């Protein structure tokens, strides 16, 4: 992704340059830019997929904007709560199965380590109270209140891969080459004692500082001044093995208070106040192995004394906080079994705290092979607003025998707004606004669900959904990290009624299409890669199995 740092930060840094070349570079990639909250982070937190809710709604791909009488209405269209004529308690445990596959467009990549996993969670749990019911056929007929929890987003994934760059495959070599450009362009050079302090305040440069203190980089000088180089550390005849592993754990869950009302069995209104809890923990591991053809040599053919053999780079990002939103909805029954629904989800206003840590290990380090860990635990509150969402739905019920439901949703990702940035961060709120306005757009989601009741106590369900791209530029332009740009959902399930209780089972399969990305890169002002990894593509698949147990009283 053409992230804002590429178009603003580097220009500002030119004034401090002390390098042999005045050429400007842009830097990025999967293992870069974790010192702050980037647009890609806000974008991923704003995606809600096809909802978890109840097993009934999951089996119908979440096509519930015009349906009701199900706890899923709280998170989709709270007007559906007005259809309740009883009290209800429901709980939905869920199993998640995730898998990923990574390929490279250049050299090919081999999946590394565990690229699949499973998790247990609660999709929803809630209580609906029928607080008022009238026997009249006019006016207010029911007023219901709901309390509970809905899972909003699944942030659990894990993938790893490895590849090999040959010694002549310029520029696909070492991340140390990129760091030499970054440190030089930032005007960062060691002091008179030869150190580049571990306490350097700008975490944007921590990777380069760790590489220098791990003896992967050197400083030399010529007539134009000092410059960074890897020439004395990594031989020109070294092939470079690249290994990358990304692990993410966490979720976004929402605690809701909602109400719904029914006027004359024709018009239903509802509102939900949601308080979201964000817990997102990510770990990035990147390593290089330097494999020499014979003795390690420099560019002049001289044997290097004590050449680099390997490097391990560790980064951790923790994010937690809260968000608040409102959901408003209306359902209208013009005649018979036809229902028309509309819902508006306001932006979720997030206040998030963020922690960052990084360390590096090389074969040069004398004690424990690893540099001290650099940590950023200061006041790091980030405030931003997710997209506004609008949903439209229509459904038709054929007696008690069948239901067909279709939903359309519009999400304005170009409307994401940053409200607060920690003091000292090098990107302004206006830069984020520019990024979302020009590189994101509104997305469209279509959901179709059907339910068939061959027996009064048995329901069979199926659904399909698809979300198109939220990216306004060609997908090839987003190469900083795997950016989801298309999501497809296939679902099915069944339900069994047993007196005042029911059991529903659902299965959802999601295909997530991501943009291709670099692990790292330094790109010159003409768009030419000076140093970079291969270009990779990671595709992800998720399978959800949920079970809802519901009691009516």
């Amino acid at each position: 992704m053409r992230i804002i740092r590429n178009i603003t930060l580097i220009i500002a840094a030119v004034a401090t340059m002390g390098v042999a070349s005045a050429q400007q570079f842009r830097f990025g990639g999967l293992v870069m830019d974790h010192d702050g909250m980037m647009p890609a982070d806000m974008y991923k937190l704003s995606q809600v997929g096809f909802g978890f809710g109840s097993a009934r709604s999951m089996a119908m791909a979440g096509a519930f904007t015009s349906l009701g009488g199900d706890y899923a209405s709280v998170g989709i269209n709270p007007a559906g709560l007005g259809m309740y004529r009883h009290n209800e308690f429901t709980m939905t445990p869920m199993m998640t199965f995730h898998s990923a596959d990574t390929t490279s467009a250049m050299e090919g990549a081999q999946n590394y380590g565990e690229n699949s996993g499973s998790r247990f969670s609660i999709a929803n749990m809630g209580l609906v109270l029928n607080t008022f019911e009238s026997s009249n056929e006019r006016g207010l007929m029911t007023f219901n209140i709901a309390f509970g929890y809905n899972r909003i987003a699944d942030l659990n994934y894990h993938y790893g891969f490895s590849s090999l760059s040959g010694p002549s495959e310029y520029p696909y070599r070492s991340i140390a080459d990129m760091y030499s450009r970054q440190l030089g362009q930032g005007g960062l050079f060691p002091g008179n004692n030869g150190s580049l302090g571990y306490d350097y305040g700008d975490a944007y440069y921590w990777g380069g500082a760790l590489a220098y203190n791990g003896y992967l980089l050197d400083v030399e000088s010529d007539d134009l001044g000092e410059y960074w180089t890897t020439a004395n550390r990594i031989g020109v005849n070294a092939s470079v093995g690249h290994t990358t592993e990304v692990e993410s754990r966490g979720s976004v869950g929402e605690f809701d208070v909602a109400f719904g009302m029914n006027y004359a069995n024709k018009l239903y209104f509802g509102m939900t106040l949601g308080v979201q809890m964000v817990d997102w923990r990510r770990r990035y591991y990147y390593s290089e192995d330097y494999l020499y053809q014979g003795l390690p040599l420099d560019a002049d053919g001289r044997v290097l004394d004590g050449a680099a053999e390997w490097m391990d780079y560790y980064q951790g990002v923790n994010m937690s906080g809260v968000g608040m939103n409102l959901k408003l909805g209306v359902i209208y029954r013009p005649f018979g079994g036809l229902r028309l629904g509309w819902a508006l989800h306001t932006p979720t206003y997030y206040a998030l705290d963020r922690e960052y840590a990084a360390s590096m290990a090389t074969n040069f380090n004398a004690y424990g092979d690893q540099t001290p860990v650099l940590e950023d635990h200061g006041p790091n509150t980030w405030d931003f607003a997710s997209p506004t969402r609008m949903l439209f739905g229509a459904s038709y019920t054929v007696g008690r025998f069948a239901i067909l439901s279709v939903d359309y949703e519009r999400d304005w990702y170009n409307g994401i707004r940053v409200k607060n940035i920690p003091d000292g961060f090098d990107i302004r709120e206006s830069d984020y606004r520019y990024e979302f306005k020009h590189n994101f757009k509104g997305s469209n989601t279509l959901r179709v669900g059907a339910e068939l009741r061959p027996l009064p106590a048995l329901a069979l369900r199926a659904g399909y959904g698809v979300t198109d791209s939220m990216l306004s530029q060609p997908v090839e332009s987003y190469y900083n990290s795997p950016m989801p740009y298309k999501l497809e959902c296939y679902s099915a399930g069944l339900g069994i009624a047993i007196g005042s209780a029911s059991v529903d089972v659902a299965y959802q399969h999601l295909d997530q299409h991501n943009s291709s990305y670099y692990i790292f890169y330094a790109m010159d002002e003409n768009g030419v890669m000076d140093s970079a990894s291969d270009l990779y593509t990671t595709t992800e698949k998720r399978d959800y199995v949920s079970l809802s147990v519901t009691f009516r009283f």
Side-chain angles (χ1 to χ4, degrees), residues 96-289:
T96 302
F97 304 90
H98 173 268
S99 63
D101 182 65
T102 302
T103 58
S104 172
M106 299 177 184
E107 278 298 312
Q110 295 182 341
N111 288 313
Y112 165 82
E114 292 293 330
N115 284 269
S116 61
S118 60
R119 305 275 297 180
F120 173 82
S121 60
I122 298 295
N124 77 358
M125 181 168 59
L127 176 67
V128 180
L129 299 176
N130 180 220
T131 60
F132 172 81
E133 184 170 357
S134 172
S135 59
N136 296 327
E137 293 298 322
R138 297 179 180 180
L140 180 64
M141 298 188 64
T142 61
F143 186 89
N144 303 311
I145 300 176
F147 308 90
Y149 168 85
N150 274 307
R151 192 176 179 88
I152 302 299
D154 178 14
L155 301 174
N156 296 288
Y157 54 86
H158 182 253
Y159 58 91
F161 52 91
S162 59
S163 62
L164 181 67
S165 298
S168 61
E169 292 181 89
Y170 178 84
Y172 308 105
R173 285 258 290 171
S174 171
I175 195 173
D177 298 320
M178 185 215 64
Y179 283 137
S180 69
R181 292 296 189 187
Q182 185 190 37
L183 292 177
Q185 188 158 293
L188 303 181
F189 289 94
N192 294 331
N193 62 357
S195 67
L196 188 62
Y198 285 112
D199 59 349
Y200 186 74
D202 192 344
Y204 179 58
Y205 296 100
W206 280 3
L210 291 168
Y212 171 71
N213 288 316
Y215 297 92
L216 285 180
L217 299 176
D218 281 327
V219 175
E220 294 187 356
S221 61
D222 59 16
D223 294 341
L224 296 177
E226 293 182 316
Y227 64 92
W228 289 92
T229 179
T230 62
N232 299 326
R233 301 297 177 179
I234 303 174
V236 296
N237 60 332
S239 297
V240 181
H242 312 268
T243 300
T244 305
E245 188 172 6
V246 178
E247 182 181 18
S248 174
R249 293 288 180 264
S251 64
V252 180
E254 183 174 275
F255 294 91
D256 297 306
V257 177
F259 72 85
M261 59 183 69
N262 171 3
Y263 283 87
N265 287 332
K266 284 284 187 180
L267 198 57
Y268 304 83
F269 296 96
M271 184 178 76
T272 299
L273 171 64
V275 178
Q276 296 187 3
M277 307 298 293
V278 178
D279 177 27
W280 193 12
R281 305 174 303 281
R282 286 169 289 169
R283 302 293 179 264
Y284 297 87
Y285 167 72
Y286 175 68
S287 73
E288 293 185 348
D289 293 294

Side-chain angles (χ1 to χ4, degrees), residues 34-35 198-203 206 210 283 314-316 318 354-359 371-380:
H34 297 304
D35 58 298
Y198 285 112
D199 59 349
Y200 186 74
D202 192 344
W206 280 3
L210 291 168
R283 302 293 179 264
Y314 306 89
Q315 295 181 89
N318 294 341
R354 191 179 174 285
E355 298 178 344
Y356 173 64
S359 65
T371 63
V373 177
L374 300 180
E375 296 180 296
D376 181 9
H377 293 298
N380 282 309

Side-chain angles (χ1 to χ4, degrees), residues 290-423:
Y290 311 108
L291 311 172
Y292 297 95
Q293 300 175 355
L295 296 173
L297 303 175
D298 66 12
D300 297 323
R302 293 173 297 192
V303 177
L304 291 179
D305 182 20
E309 298 174 6
W310 56 268
M311 178 275 292
D312 293 334
Y313 184 30
Y314 306 89
Q315 295 181 89
V317 183
N318 294 341
M319 198 175 298
S320 61
V322 299
M324 294 187 66
N325 63 49
L326 280 176
K327 302 176 184 69
L328 306 173
V330 178
I331 295 175
Y332 177 56
R333 301 176 68 171
F335 59 84
L338 180 64
R339 301 179 189 180
L340 304 175
W342 171 87
L344 174 70
H345 297 189
T346 70
T348 300
Y349 295 90
Y350 288 106
L352 305 178
D353 289 322
R354 191 179 174 285
E355 298 178 344
Y356 173 64
S359 65
M360 186 175 290
T362 70
N363 60 286
F364 294 112
N365 293 342
Y367 303 101
D369 293 330
Q370 187 166 327
T371 63
V373 177
L374 300 180
E375 296 180 296
D376 181 9
H377 293 298
N380 282 309
T381 300
W382 298 76
D383 298 344
F384 79 97
S386 70
T388 300
R389 308 181 189 280
M390 191 171 292
L391 298 86
F392 301 90
S395 60
Y396 193 81
T397 301
V398 183
R400 296 180 177 272
F401 179 70
I403 298 173
L404 178 64
S405 182
V406 179
D407 279 12
Y408 167 77
E409 178 179 338
R410 179 75 171 177
D411 299 342
W412 285 272
Y413 285 88
N414 51 347
I416 296 176
R417 290 293 180 263
V418 176
K419 303 297 184 180
N420 181 65
I421 298 172
D423 292 338

